[in-house]
Amino acid sequence: MERWSFNLQVFFLNKRFREVVEISKSDDIIIQDRTIFEDARIFAPNLHAQGYMSDRDFANYSDLFDLMMSLVGMPDLMIYIRSTIPNLISQIEKRGREYEQTIRIDYLTGLNNRYEEWIKNYKGNLIIIDGDTCKFGDDPKDFQKVTDMIDQNHLFGLF
């Protein structure tokens, strides 16, 4: 982890930045599952805090992210799905991905805390959904609630 965390995070940052640039050039409505913000504000700081990324590498990574963000705009809307650790564990079990089965609870807790800290300071248009109670992937009524929230945020015609 210590040897490759910086390289891997730069790889993801580059990939996400390319996506953001492509999205900014498009007139289509595009929904993104993961954002460039998560890499830079959640995962890279987590690796740094755990000692897997040096101070120098983290500073360089953060400077690169800030430069990239100065060249593109914010998303029209950020949808944040808030979840408790038990619900996250349930979702991981439901997906059944082998590589996720060994994720430690303290790691999940650290990421969840970083997400909460980041979203408190998010400056763009934001909707927060309670992922523990709103099961929009399984329940059509919950899906309708989410689409109504999107429409209320002046993104008419998205659904």
Side-chain angles (χ1 to χ4, degrees), residues 10-133:
V10 169
F11 170 81
F12 286 132
L13 183 64
N14 179 47
K15 181 179 183 296
R16 303 260 193 257
F17 184 66
R18 287 180 188 273
E19 291 171 355
V20 168
V21 169
E22 286 179 34
I23 289 169
S24 70
K25 292 178 181 177
S26 175
D27 291 330
D28 294 334
I29 294 171
I30 298 172
I31 299 172
Q32 214 177 359
D33 180 37
R34 289 268 182 216
T35 71
I36 194 170
F37 300 103
E38 291 168 272
D39 292 319
R41 298 297 184 227
I42 311 300
F43 291 96
N46 197 53
L47 289 167
H48 177 248
Q50 291 181 339
Y52 295 125
M53 191 182 299
S54 72
D55 292 343
R56 183 197 68 211
D57 285 347
F58 183 66
N60 284 331
Y61 177 91
S62 297
D63 287 346
L64 181 59
F65 170 76
D66 291 340
L67 174 62
M68 289 174 162
M69 291 312 298
S70 73
L71 301 172
V72 295
M74 296 288 282
D76 293 328
L77 177 65
M78 176 74 65
I79 301 173
Y80 176 64
I81 304 169
R82 176 172 280 141
S83 186
T84 60
I85 298 301
N87 190 55
L88 292 173
I89 292 168
S90 173
Q91 292 300 313
I92 289 169
E93 289 172 353
K94 183 178 171 182
R95 282 193 298 267
R97 297 175 185 156
E98 188 176 327
Y99 65 90
E100 290 181 333
Q101 300 307 308
T102 58
I103 295 175
R104 295 176 17 191
I105 291 176
D106 63 332
Y107 179 76
L108 276 178
T109 301
L111 291 177
N112 210 32
N113 291 341
R114 287 187 185 282
Y115 270 105
E116 286 297 319
E117 283 302 310
W118 168 68
I119 209 66
K120 280 195 298 191
N121 299 308
Y122 184 75
K123 303 291 186 224
N125 196 9
L126 175 66
I127 292 174
I128 298 177
I129 296 170
D130 183 341
D132 289 4
T133 60

